[in-house]
Amino acid sequence: MEIQVENRLQLPTDSTDEAKKLQDKPVPEEIRPVITVSVDEKPGVQAIQNTAPDLPPVPGRHAEVGRDYEYIRHGTLSILAALDLHTGEVIANVEERHRSQEFVALLKRLDERYPKEATIRVVLDNHSAHISKETFAYLAAHPNRFEYVHTPKHGSWLNLVETAFSKMARTFLRHIRVSSKEELKGRIEKGIAEWNEHPVVFRWSNFDLGLELYVSCLMLCCTIA
């Protein structure tokens, strides 16, 4: 799906030296388009395998699937995800851990995904991987590309990517059983791919809180917290 952003700077398409110089020139801050994504991690997704096959429901006797209480653990995975607040799409990496290097890998995916003339505004909490030396070194190497908007202390629930994690837990991760971490990773990636086939942009149901007002409220809460 092509990403549409407002106020996109139109650059010449001819091959003249003047056009090339203009294309290489940094876009002035006042006309840079801004793309807002909501970012967080969902650690500890368990790869659990049954010790015995599930028993199907029996009409008139057992209304639900029967499952043995014993299981085999194969470890856990972490989902590092960004929810595009303009399109409703999820950009995610499934990793063994969620350290700075995995978080930087997600930032690199965002950098590759969006137009180079845009600023990527990232709504996120103060997790150590988000503010580490390794992460800041990457951000410093890409000036004006990323802009942080932190959720207030004890207010991570205000981060809208949590709604995506909640939906994952209630759908394709619910009661999931796999034979390995590799199978779990494949199932997660398939679930996210199906999500992105029919993305839904978050809307507040009780009041009209637009994207810019939402971000402004987060920044105000951080100021007074």
Side-chain angles (χ1 to χ4, degrees), residues 34-46:
V34 177
I35 299 170
T36 306
V37 295
S38 175
V39 173
D40 204 359
E41 298 84 17
K42 182 178 177 61
V45 182
Q46 296 191 73

Side-chain angles (χ1 to χ4, degrees), residues 46 48 67 172-178 184 187-188:
Q46 296 191 73
I48 293 177
R67 174 171 289 174
F172 60 82
L173 291 180
R174 181 175 173 83
H175 302 315
I176 190 170
R177 292 293 184 268
V178 294
L184 176 61
R187 296 272 292 274
I188 294 172

Side-chain angles (χ1 to χ4, degrees), residues 15-68:
S15 58
T16 64
D17 292 339
E18 185 176 347
K20 290 181 179 179
K21 290 179 181 179
L22 182 57
Q23 289 177 346
D24 293 336
K25 185 178 181 180
V27 180
E29 188 68 28
E30 62 272 13
I31 61 174
R32 289 178 67 90
V34 177
I35 299 170
T36 306
V37 295
S38 175
V39 173
D40 204 359
E41 298 84 17
K42 182 178 177 61
V45 182
Q46 296 191 73
I48 293 177
Q49 180 180 3
N50 284 344
T51 57
D54 290 338
L55 299 177
V58 178
R61 296 184 60 189
H62 304 291
E64 300 178 348
V65 171
R67 174 171 289 174
D68 194 275

Side-chain angles (χ1 to χ4, degrees), residues 27 33 40 47 52 58-59 63 71 75 96 118 127 221 224:
V27 180
D40 204 359
V58 178
Y71 53 83
E96 292 276 348
H127 185 276
C221 288
I224 64 178

Side-chain angles (χ1 to χ4, degrees), residues 14-185:
D14 59 79
S15 58
T16 64
D17 292 339
E18 185 176 347
K20 290 181 179 179
K21 290 179 181 179
L22 182 57
Q23 289 177 346
D24 293 336
K25 185 178 181 180
V27 180
E29 188 68 28
E30 62 272 13
I31 61 174
R32 289 178 67 90
V34 177
I35 299 170
T36 306
V37 295
S38 175
V39 173
D40 204 359
E41 298 84 17
K42 182 178 177 61
V45 182
Q46 296 191 73
I48 293 177
Q49 180 180 3
N50 284 344
T51 57
D54 290 338
L55 299 177
V58 178
R61 296 184 60 189
H62 304 291
E64 300 178 348
V65 171
R67 174 171 289 174
D68 194 275
Y69 65 89
E70 293 187 348
Y71 53 83
I72 302 171
R73 294 179 182 269
H74 293 292
T76 62
L77 295 174
S78 295
I79 305 173
L80 289 79
L83 174 64
D84 187 316
L85 300 186
H86 304 271
T87 67
E89 294 178 293
V90 172
I91 304 94
N93 290 342
V94 183
E95 306 280 7
E96 292 276 348
R97 303 174 67 179
H98 54 286
R99 302 163 298 176
S100 297
Q101 63 189 66
E102 285 82 20
F103 179 67
V104 169
L106 179 62
L107 293 180
K108 290 179 178 178
R109 279 197 65 185
L110 297 176
D111 180 49
E112 294 170 357
R113 178 182 179 88
Y114 294 112
K116 294 301 180 182
E117 68 270 19
T119 295
I120 304 172
R121 183 166 55 190
V122 185
V123 178
L124 73 176
D125 59 23
N126 284 293
H127 185 276
S128 59
H130 303 165
I131 55 176
S132 67
K133 291 182 179 179
E134 183 176 350
T135 300
F136 279 163
Y138 174 79
L139 296 176
H142 298 76
N144 300 319
R145 181 56 166 162
F146 294 93
E147 174 187 323
Y148 271 13
V149 177
H150 287 289
T151 54
K153 189 175 181 180
H154 306 305
S156 295
W157 55 274
L158 292 170
N159 199 340
L160 292 179
V161 73
E162 298 299 339
T163 64
F165 289 144
S166 175
K167 187 173 181 178
M168 292 179 194
R170 290 180 283 109
T171 54
F172 60 82
L173 291 180
R174 181 175 173 83
H175 302 315
I176 190 170
R177 292 293 184 268
V178 294
S179 60
S180 65
K181 287 198 291 187
E182 290 72 22
E183 182 183 354
L184 176 61
K185 180 177 180 179

Side-chain angles (χ1 to χ4, degrees), residues 187-203:
R187 296 272 292 274
I188 294 172
E189 292 174 341
K190 180 180 179 182
I192 293 172
E194 292 177 350
W195 171 306
N196 288 335
E197 290 177 0
H198 305 283
V200 178
V201 179
F202 185 89
R203 301 290 187 218

